[in-house]
Amino acid sequence: MTIAPDNAQQGASHRYRAMRDFVQSTDDTLPGKLEVPKEGIVHDLTAPVGPHELTTVHLRKRLEKVMPEEIVAHTGELDVEDEAEGIMRRPDVMVIALADMDVPGSFDPRTLIAAVEVVSRSNPDNDWVTKMRDYPLMGIRVYAVFDPRTGTGAVLTDIHSTPDGPRYATRKDFVYGEDVTIGDWTISTENLPRYAP
């Protein structure tokens, strides 16, 4: 019989919706941002100012300088959500076509050209471990990580199947100061801010 799996799936879906509703109800009331990975709710206490936000602004401006007008590097408050996987994330920068932004609710992660994250000082594993797992599960084709702790980063591409689920097959590491290619566009990483020791 398939009653148990259906009930288990229904329970997981209900649990995810409850977590998502909680996260959405607390927007603007808690510092940082809340997301829903596979493990449950993650609270990233990203400082609202400083190297993290400044890096995000630099990356948005540098990307938009080289992209066509119909593509944007969005840094707003909307989430990307894959309800079937039970994941809701809020990338620091979402490279997306303007036409794909005209939707009610969360963005479809499969419409993102790239997700860009600036590693949080308070929870680096969220960017380097769980998002590296969640983004290919959600179908986000390109994931770029910038780490102000170390002045390094990586661009991950080429989703492929593995026994543990979809994963990125290609990883290109870089150090600040080098040019980096995200999707079809190359930007400089010169003079990106670093966290103080």
Side-chain angles (χ1 to χ4, degrees):
M1 286 176 67
T2 60
I3 293 173
D6 287 346
N7 287 342
Q9 179 63 33
Q10 189 175 28
S13 178
H14 176 73
R15 187 170 48 254
Y16 167 71
R17 276 189 251 108
M19 287 186 290
R20 179 192 63 195
D21 292 347
F22 171 77
V23 166
Q24 291 173 337
S25 73
T26 60
D27 274 353
D28 300 327
T29 60
L30 293 173
K33 63 183 176 182
L34 295 169
E35 297 177 300
V36 184
K38 285 285 192 188
E39 296 79 17
I41 295 173
V42 170
H43 186 200
D44 188 350
L45 291 169
T46 302
V49 293
H52 185 279
E53 292 303 307
L54 192 54
T55 300
T56 300
V57 169
H58 281 299
L59 295 174
R60 177 182 55 80
K61 287 182 157 203
R62 291 174 190 187
L63 281 165
E64 288 190 337
K65 212 178 264 190
V66 296
M67 295 186 310
E69 195 171 301
E70 65 273 9
I71 308 291
V72 296
H74 178 65
T75 57
E77 291 297 314
L78 280 181
D79 302 301
V80 291
E81 178 180 26
D82 187 331
E83 190 166 349
E85 289 292 341
I87 303 171
M88 183 178 70
R89 291 294 197 166
R90 185 176 289 170
D92 291 319
V93 180
M94 292 175 265
V95 179
I96 187 170
L98 280 169
D100 291 327
M101 294 178 71
D102 190 14
V103 295
S106 300
F107 294 145
D108 178 347
R110 285 160 185 79
T111 64
L112 264 61
I113 298 164
V116 179
E117 295 287 3
V118 178
V119 174
S120 165
R121 174 178 257 167
S122 65
N123 189 4
D125 284 352
N126 189 36
D127 298 303
W128 281 116
V129 178
T130 59
K131 288 179 184 176
M132 203 173 287
R133 178 207 58 215
D134 287 354
Y135 284 169
L137 277 172
M138 299 172 80
I140 296 173
R141 298 168 294 213
V142 177
Y143 175 35
V145 187
F146 291 78
D147 195 338
R149 299 171 311 147
T150 59
T152 63
V155 178
L156 299 110
T157 58
D158 303 320
I159 297 172
H160 70 120
S161 296
T162 75
D164 295 323
R167 296 291 183 264
Y168 292 113
T170 304
R171 175 178 169 150
K172 293 184 180 176
D173 292 297
F174 61 87
V175 297
Y176 282 18
E178 296 178 333
D179 287 350
V180 62
T181 300
I182 300 170
D184 294 330
W185 306 284
T186 300
I187 61 170
S188 169
T189 62
E190 285 283 347
N191 302 316
L192 288 176
R194 301 275 305 272
Y195 295 139

